[in-house]
Structures are given as C-alpha cells and as structure tokens.
Amino acid sequence: MQKKISDDSATTATHFRGWERPAQSTVPALTLVSHPQPERIGERLLLEMLAAVGRTASLSRNAPEFSHPGSLLARPLGDPFLSRKPVQFEPGTRGRLRLLAPEDGTPVRVAGQPVRGSREFTPAEVAAGVPIVLAERVVVLLHLALAPELPPTGDLGMVGQGEGVRRVREDVLRVADLDVPVLVRGETGSGKELVARAIHQNSPRRGGPFISVNLGALSKELVSAELFGAQKGAYTGAAKNREGFFRAAHGGTLFLDEVGEAPPEVQVALLRVLETGEVFPVGSHAPVPVDVRLITATDANLEERIRQGVFKAPLLHRLAGFEIQVPPLRERREDIGPLFLHFARQELKATGELQRLSGAGPHTEPWLPASLAVRLVRYAWPGNIRQLRNVTRQLVIGSRGLPGLRVDARLEQELDASVLPLPGYAPTPLPARTAADTPLPEETSPTRRKPSDVGEQELLTALRASDWDLKATAERLGISRASVYMLIEKSSLLRTAGDLSPEEISRCFHECQGDLDQMVQRLEVSKRALQRRVRELGLGSA
C-alpha cells in the first residue's frame, strides 16, 4: 500500500536518523502563567543553581531574567508592584524545595494562602506543578524542566515548549519521512489529529491529500463502504459508485481516529489492506490498488481489548509500525498558559478585540486575573486541549467589551471541581461573578451508578460541562456510554442530531464557518452524530 521512499525524497526528518538526545537532568523551573503584559506568558527561568548544595535562587522585580525557550530576548519580571527585595528558593529538607518570602517584600500566595516566612514543597508537588502568585498580579508555575535546555524544535503546528510536547515533535520528525504506519495514542482531546497532520506535512506525501476519518462517527452499516468504496447497487441506497476514503487518500495520508471502535469485519479488511495494498469495494470482486500512508489513533487500551477478544492482535502489530504517545494536558501544565494565550488570540481576532493583548503599560491590571490563571493550571482538564480551547472561547466571548476576563459561576465551579492535591488549598473568589447556575456533578472518580439515578437536569449539566463529548459525560456521571445514549433518547430536555432538520444544520454550518466544535455548542448534540449528519448532507468534512 505504501511506496518506497527514494534517497532524494527525504525531508526534514532525515537528520534524526541515528540522533540521540544529549544526557539531561531535571531542575526546578519557573514559567510565567499570568503577567500584566500578556505576550510574556510562557517565558521561563531555569533554577539550575538549586542543583548545587547550599545555592539559592532569588526572584525580584529586577532580576533574574525570563525568556521564551530559544529566544534571545530576556528580561526581568519588571512589574512595579513587585518588590526589589527578592523572594528566594533554596533546597529544603528530605529533597524538598523551600520558598522564602520576606515580610516586607512582595506578597506571595500559594494554594490560596499567603506565605509568611517560608514554605516547603515536596518533590511530588514540584513535579505536578505549583502556581505561585506574586502581588496578585504575576503568576509563575514552579515545575520541573530538563537542563541544559535544548534548542527549540520547529513548532510543527503544536503550541508549547514543555518536555512532553517536545518529545512528540521529535517523534514526528523521526518518522515523518519513513513510509510506515503510525499509531498515535492519547486521551480524547489531547491533539492526536494535530500530530497526524504534522507527520503528513513533514513527509514526502505533503503534496497529496490528507483525509481524516473518525471511525466512531461512521454508521456501522456503511463503514466498509465509507472506507473501501462500493459498487452501484451493492446495497440498498447505493445509487452510484462510491469512491471510499482509502481511494480518496491515494498518494497521500489517511488518518483513522478511534481505530479501537472498528467493527470486526473492518479490522479484517484493514489488515488485508496493510498487507496487500489493495482494497475491495463493497459489491466488487476485483481488488483496487491504493498508495496510502495510514495513521491511526486511539484513546482506548487496545491490549486490553485484545484480551477481551474484541480487537485483533495482528492488526495492532501492523498499525503500530511506530507509536507516538501524546501526553494529557495535566502532564504538561507549563504549556497551559501559552495554549490559553494562543486560543485567546484566535477568539479576540474573531471578535475584533485583539488589541487587548498588546500595548499594556506597567501599571495595567492583568487581562488574565491571577485567580483565574491559578485555576487554569490546577484544573485536571479531563477534555484536554479541546476543553481548554472551549473554555477560552467561553471566557473571551463572555468578556466582550470588558477590560479583563469575567468568569461566570458555572465555569468557576467547574474549574474548582477537580484540582491538584496541594494541601490547604482554598480558592480565592474570581472577579465579577454572576448568579449561580446549576451546580456541576462531582469530578472526582464517580462510582458506578444506575442510569435511573441520573436526573434530566444533571444529564444536561454534565453534557454541557463535557462539551457534549458522550464518553467524557459517561465518566463524569459514573455510567456507561450506552446509558448516556439511552438517557438522551428518553429525555424531554434534549434532542439528538437525528432530530435536527437539514435546514437547521446547514444554516448553523455556514454561520459557524464549518467549525464543528462551535456547531456542537450551539446545537447541543453529540459531536460524532453531528459530524455524520454534516457529511450526509454534503457540507464538507468536519
């Protein structure tokens, strides 16, 4: 199925053959999460001196200097509300890290409590990431980073310079020019399709098509025809020949998301395609050769599915010519600030308010309040980057025309529902609270429940909090995904994608410019089902 790459077709990835990462060790680091000058979010300071016994690190208004990884521009925090008298960091007892805050210096708050004198952090707390608030204006995240810092790789369309995303970029460049199947693993919303696109764009196939297909969104009755094509009259409703996604991706890359949802007969056909490079359209007995690079993705434990007998081991072995593991957002907290800023720029540009992120003076109140910045880096993000993008959109749109970001009570409750276990944490009030909405269900590992115990309002609240991701909703409520489908069907408050008229879907598609996530928020239906309706109506890929 995949053509051999000639020596002169190697791409950017070539220099990774035989490449080894230099030996590095982890050191404490500080990354800016909030600052009166928003463009500084993501700047970093490595505290390498703390690796030496007896050494301390000082942090004040005038020194030391922070910089974006790989940038030559470095500057101190520079906020006039910070003291010239430094906050200090030093090695503590039993491998801990100690923070020293002078009484007449910059006010420091950690975990909702002021620091008076000193406070020690365990190695586990530092590894997880500790937000530190300075003078209620600047938030830095204390975390671990590799030292010495390597030159930054190209971003490949991925935001962030944390260790997790850097490893993903390196893996992309290692495999991009090799025409082997790639399996991308990661939680829902963690950016697996972005990884697949990066592989395609850095491969010799970049001039060919990139076709993205969510197997979980395809009708079980038509999935074979959708993938492999079909002859006219092969099944009821087949009024013409169907090309199929494999042939549509000829000469390029086919990305199959949620490959763990593939039915048994499709698994057999996928294995045959990988072994022979040929597809059999439904209703045809003649094979059709295809030249396609296959990239698949899953958030499922395929090894466990093999043990359960619902996934074929030979298929996993063929799909995983090379594996890339995408870290969840909670494991790359130093990237939350830059990601938030990236999505905020997109939304502010759409609302015509991009100037809010530039030209801030030294006495300006931070556009991203310290209390909100702390919540963002401490939240568990079960929906990962997709959820962060939606939260950012909600914050920006909900704050149009205001000098800073306003947070409503529902979102505040959601961000407080699941946080890192810092002892003594007491959330501080966010600015401009509105009237309380319906409380969200608990985020913390719900026990299994009976579907009959879930009320209609609780179901609706959980769906909205999960951005209409039915799997995340099921986990939030402690019931199965099948039970969520059943409750939606029975609910008088909800409707399904099948209830929507073609006119309503078409109008929403054009108003949202094809952005499926915006359509889901507006129509309040399952993303998978809506994606299928959009495709059926010929409105373009979503």
Side-chain angles (χ1 to χ4, degrees), residues 260 300-312:
N301 185 334
L302 296 183
E303 289 77 10
E304 178 60 28
R305 295 200 172 203
I306 290 171
R307 286 190 288 270
Q308 295 171 354
V310 295
F311 200 83
K312 298 185 180 299

Side-chain angles (χ1 to χ4, degrees), residues 35 39 61 105 123 174 276 283 302 349 361 393 398 462 476 533:
H35 190 276
E39 72 273 9
R61 178 201 306 177
R174 284 189 180 96
T276 66
L302 296 183
K349 184 177 180 180
R393 177 182 294 138
R476 182 184 291 266
R533 288 294 309 277

Side-chain angles (χ1 to χ4, degrees), residues 468-530:
W468 292 83
D469 183 306
L470 301 190
K471 180 178 180 181
T473 300
E475 293 173 352
R476 182 184 291 266
L477 293 174
I479 60 178
S480 68
R481 191 189 304 191
S483 297
V484 172
Y485 282 110
M486 179 191 70
L487 290 174
I488 290 175
E489 290 289 343
K490 294 171 58 178
S491 173
S492 60
L493 298 177
L494 302 172
R495 58 181 181 172
T496 67
D499 298 326
L500 303 174
S501 69
E503 293 76 15
E504 184 176 7
I505 296 175
S506 179
R507 181 173 61 252
C508 186
F509 180 87
H510 292 296
E511 289 176 354
C512 296
Q513 297 182 333
D515 187 321
L516 194 65
D517 290 307
Q518 287 189 34
M519 294 178 66
V520 168
Q521 293 294 321
R522 181 176 298 189
L523 297 173
E524 293 199 327
V525 293
S526 162
K527 182 176 181 178
R528 291 184 186 177
L530 181 59

Side-chain angles (χ1 to χ4, degrees), residues 79-116:
D79 188 282
F81 290 85
L82 303 185
S83 173
R84 293 184 178 90
K85 184 171 290 188
V87 174
Q88 292 188 318
F89 297 89
E90 64 181 23
T93 59
R94 298 191 299 276
R96 299 182 179 188
L97 182 64
R98 183 181 296 121
L99 182 154
L100 303 171
E103 290 185 6
D104 55 347
T106 299
V108 179
R109 184 164 51 82
V110 173
Q113 301 296 325
V115 177
R116 296 184 175 90

